Amino acid sequence: MKDIATREDLLFLMQKFYDKLLADDQINFFFTKITHTDQHLPHHFEVLATFWEQSLFMKGGYTNNMFQIHKEVHYKHAFTKTHFDIWLHHFYTTIDAHFKGKVAEQMKTNALSMATVMQIKL
C-alpha cells in the first residue's frame, strides 16, 4: 500500500470514510438530520481535503474555524465520548484499509489530537 501523498488521496479517503459514517446508525444522524452534510458531500470533501492538506502538508488555504463549526453542531445535539470513539474508529480503519506510511500515521495522530481537544473544550 502507498502512503497518502496528494489531494486526490485525501478526497478518496474522505469518500470512503463518509461511506462508513453514513452507514453507521449510531452517528449518521449528525450528517443527515442535524447538519444535512449528506446533501453537499462533494463540496464538503473539498473543504476537508483543504483542511487535511494544511494539517499534513502545510499547504495552507483552510480558513474555516473547525472548532466553532463543531461547537454549533454540539449545541444542536451534544457529542458524546461514544460519538468520538465511533468517528475515530471509522477514520482509523478507513486509513488502514487504503494507505500505509508516515503521512497515514500522522493523519491518525492528528485526528486523535483534534478529537481529544474537542472533547475537552465542548
Side-chain angles (χ1 to χ4, degrees):
M1 268 191 276
K2 71 175 196 143
D3 202 354
I4 299 165
T6 66
R7 182 176 185 85
E8 290 71 28
D9 292 340
L10 295 169
L11 288 167
F12 170 82
L13 190 59
M14 289 303 106
Q15 177 189 355
K16 296 300 182 184
F17 175 50
Y18 270 74
D19 286 348
K20 289 182 179 194
L21 292 175
L22 293 172
D24 189 323
D25 291 337
Q26 295 180 84
I27 198 169
N28 65 7
F29 64 93
F30 282 109
F31 308 98
T32 61
K33 295 190 180 357
I34 306 297
T35 66
H36 304 288
T37 300
D38 63 319
Q39 296 176 12
H40 58 272
L41 286 175
H43 172 73
H44 189 60
F45 294 161
E46 292 291 336
V47 171
L48 292 174
T50 301
F51 172 83
W52 284 108
E53 278 183 318
Q54 182 167 304
S55 176
L56 298 169
F57 307 125
M58 307 305 163
K59 284 201 171 188
Y62 183 80
T63 58
N64 295 341
N65 182 333
M66 179 195 56
F67 180 73
Q68 185 61 40
I69 292 166
H70 288 86
K71 187 176 178 182
E72 290 170 12
V73 175
H74 179 72
Y75 285 145
K76 294 176 183 176
H77 190 286
F79 294 116
T80 66
K81 181 178 182 328
T82 300
H83 294 135
F84 284 102
D85 290 345
I86 292 166
W87 186 92
L88 282 169
H89 169 75
H90 289 315
F91 199 77
Y92 290 176
T93 58
T94 304
I95 292 172
D96 290 343
H98 301 284
F99 296 97
K100 183 176 183 172
K102 182 180 174 187
V103 177
E105 291 304 314
Q106 186 62 52
M107 191 172 190
K108 291 190 291 186
T109 299
N110 291 6
L112 176 60
S113 295
M114 289 182 287
T116 302
V117 168
M118 246 189 246
Q119 286 179 80
I120 292 167
K121 286 189 168 189
L122 293 176

